Amino acid sequence: MLEVKGLHAGYGVVEVLRGIDMAVSRGEIVAVLGANGVGKTTLNKVFSGVIPAWAGEILFEGQRIDRATPDAIVAAGLIHVPEGRKIFPNMTVRENLELGSYRRGKPRRARNLEHVFSVFPRLRERSAQAAGTLSGGEQQMLAIGRGMMAEPNLLILDEPSLGLSPLLVEEMFTLIRRLNADGLPILLVEQNVVQSLEIASRAYILENGLFALSGSAAEVSGNPELRRAYLGM
Amino acid sequence: MYSPAIVAEAMVNGLMTGAAYALVALGLTLVYGVLHIVNFAHGALLTCAMFAVLGMEQGLGIGPYAAILPLGVLFFLLGYALQRYVIGPSSHGEDRNTLLVTLGISIVLENALLAAFRSDTRTLGGDMGFDVVELGPMLLSRPRLVGCAVALVVAALLWLLLARSDTGRAIRAVAKERFGAQVVGIDPRHIFAVTFGIGCACLAVAACLLLPTFYVNPRVGNAFVLVAFTIVVLGGMGSVVGALVGGLVIGVVESLGGLLLGESLGQLGIFLIFILVLLLRPTGLFGARA
Ligand SMILES: Nc1ncnc2c1ncn2[C@@H]1O[C@H](COP(=O)(O)OP(=O)(O)O)[C@@H](O)[C@H]1O
Ligand SMILES: [Mg+2]
């Protein structure tokens, strides 16, 4: 459902992505892994139209979206849960979730809100609280819940485990697996190589703006290069 | 000293003037709170709105109160277009550019008005400015009373819009977290323009309420905006409630100051407050603490 061909992008004169080819199919969890600063977030921002592609094609459900505006991309159902959560700190948890359906899913807002609250009971308890006062883990739940409010066809999660305690990280990965089991395709962008490979069906390893390695999660995790570079084995 | 009735009358008069000030300040504070720019064209736009009220009356025979709705809509559209197609694109994301652009717009507008209308001072025809209402021992100016009521209604509507509608939520969202807003499909350029349009609509309403008791010349807006800046600082930059309360307080201070010190010194109190707030509570009464 997501197809990327020869994608280049960057900032100013600095090229960050230097020819990305990848795909996500229905029902998958696909992991994009790589160290800090290799361009994972840049890739996500290009997908959601926040920064322009320099060259190449992005197709989402058969439609070119590499020239589309961010709101048109949201309307198409490609929903990005950004790194650092980017929730609205001055607004209540409920308002944050309601704004999740600003562009898409508005007619079923009440029903989807119930659904998010059933997935994240913590958010229901805190629904009247200012989002900025939530703990890190709760903020991550809110960011994902806000994304779910838009009825995503594909959910991009950018470093959902960043800054969480090991216990919460475990919980977060369980949750991602559960969302996927309910039929939601997920593009999981992470530095946490081990746990991401456990739940992903396929993975891409990003290095220097190019995929150094890709394949099924089993292939990738068995690769000796990867084991040495990322797992220290 | 002064009889209680006179002091009470001065206070009520001050509240009424303050409500009109509050409208001018609302536009300023909203644009500052959301776009994070100080709109230096605010005064010139108010002047334009006041001339528009004059034009409606003299050209089309539409009185200032009947003009509230059409001019409100017109100035919303004008403000929307100005931000969306002039200020936004020319700022290239740099706040200091915006500053210069709004300053430039104000100079252009002011000089266009000067060229068209000279520096003459004009007023609405008729004598509605002198209508009074008797309230117990007090004689209150009817147009100011109407102005106060309308200003309060507009402030309440604005508050409702911001608190309850999706557009209002989007305005608050963009103010704090632009990237987060983009990923839920909010177009910040649109929301910025809507906010600027609302600010201009507030000016149009303020102009309709002011003109029955006030004059207009190509520079008149600046005096109001100076007071509006004080209100915004007093109420807290970006706070809608602060602008309303601040406007009322400043109106009363000015009116009582005028009573005690004479008309020409009445505004002294306003600038004393301005300095005191900056010294003692720079975030204002309702401003978020950093
Ligand atoms: N707004 C920006 N302007 C210029 N360079 C940036 C910007 N954002 C990121 N970069 C640079 O692009 C590279 C990739 O960053 P990023 O995509 O955030 O990496 P990752 O998400 O993999 O940690 C880094 O070298 C970073 O310094
Ligand atoms: Mg990143």
Side-chain angles (χ1 to χ4, degrees), chain A:
Chain A
M1 58 188 326
L2 182 73
E3 243 188 294
V4 182
K5 295 176 202 155
L7 181 68
H8 292 251
Y11 305 93
V13 294
V14 182
E15 188 171 54
V16 175
L17 303 175
R18 302 184 298 134
I20 298 286
D21 297 282
M22 64 177 292
V24 182
S25 307
R26 225 157 271 287
E28 281 191 300
I29 296 181
V30 172
V32 171
L33 307 172
N36 196 16
V38 294
K40 303 183 299 298
T41 296
T42 305
L43 182 65
N44 292 340
K45 286 187 172 173
V46 176
F47 287 160
S48 46
V50 176
I51 61 175
W54 290 0
E57 285 182 18
I58 307 169
L59 285 109
F60 182 61
E61 301 194 306
Q63 303 285 322
R64 285 283 292 268
I65 57 163
D66 42 273
R67 293 263 176 281
T69 55
D71 50 315
I73 291 171
V74 170
L78 178 55
I79 308 298
H80 179 174
V81 178
E83 179 182 336
R85 292 95 196 211
K86 307 296 178 196
I87 53 164
F88 310 120
N90 51 332
M91 301 168 71
T92 66
V93 166
R94 177 184 289 269
E95 285 179 317
N96 267 269
L97 292 172
E98 285 172 343
L99 268 184
S101 52
Y102 177 85
R103 178 70 53 189
R104 189 180 150 88
K106 201 180 288 192
R108 287 164 301 283
R109 177 177 280 180
R111 195 198 69 189
N112 293 340
L113 194 62
E114 255 327 290
H115 175 60
V116 170
F117 281 154
S118 70
V119 176
F120 302 107
R122 299 281 293 169
L123 295 184
R124 190 198 301 273
E125 289 164 28
R126 315 247 149 174
S127 63
Q129 191 173 323
T133 64
L134 297 179
S135 74
E138 290 163 348
Q139 291 194 11
Q140 187 61 53
M141 292 177 195
L142 179 58
I144 295 177
R146 185 180 68 180
M148 288 164 62
M149 290 296 292
E151 304 180 345
N153 290 335
L154 172 63
L155 194 65
I156 301 179
L157 299 176
D158 194 344
E159 308 231 22
S161 74
L162 195 69
L164 302 186
S165 69
L167 205 68
L168 274 176
V169 171
E170 192 62 49
E171 204 178 300
M172 192 55 66
F173 279 98
T174 308
L175 174 89
I176 293 167
R177 201 203 297 259
R178 208 171 100 213
L179 288 178
N180 177 253
D182 292 341
L184 180 61
I186 291 174
L187 180 62
L188 175 63
V189 177
E190 266 291 348
Q191 290 189 49
N192 187 330
V193 173
V194 179
Q195 275 162 305
S196 300
L197 284 174
E198 276 171 17
I199 64 168
S201 50
R202 290 185 306 113
Y204 296 88
I205 308 294
L206 187 59
E207 275 174 17
N208 289 321
L210 285 168
F211 287 139
L213 189 64
S214 64
S216 74
E219 282 165 20
V220 169
S221 48
N223 184 287
E225 280 290 311
L226 175 109
R227 297 177 73 85
R228 194 166 57 241
Y230 292 91
L231 310 179
M233 290 186 246

Side-chain angles (χ1 to χ4, degrees), chain B residues 104-218:
Chain B
I105 290 171
S106 84
I107 292 169
V108 169
L109 288 178
E110 226 170 71
N111 284 292
L113 288 172
L114 267 174
F117 300 102
R118 318 283 158 126
S119 54
D120 302 344
T121 288
R122 296 152 202 261
T123 54
L124 283 184
D127 52 6
M128 71 188 289
F130 301 105
D131 272 0
V132 288
V133 182
E134 248 178 89
L135 194 79
M138 296 186 283
L139 281 183
L140 302 178
S141 146
R142 184 191 296 276
R144 287 190 184 193
L145 206 57
V146 172
C148 182
V150 174
L152 291 178
V153 168
V154 169
L157 285 177
L158 192 60
W159 185 85
L160 265 181
L161 173 97
L162 286 173
R164 296 289 156 79
S165 73
D166 258 18
T167 301
R169 291 191 189 107
I171 288 173
R172 286 184 289 142
V174 170
K176 278 278 153 57
E177 181 46 73
R178 194 193 300 199
F179 179 39
Q182 282 180 302
V183 300
V184 300
I186 295 169
D187 180 358
R189 288 169 309 174
H190 171 69
I191 292 299
F192 284 162
V194 167
T195 307
F196 204 90
I198 292 174
C200 288
C202 286
L203 288 180
V205 177
C208 292
L209 301 180
L210 283 171
L211 222 54
T213 59
F214 217 80
Y215 59 88
V216 50
N217 66 39

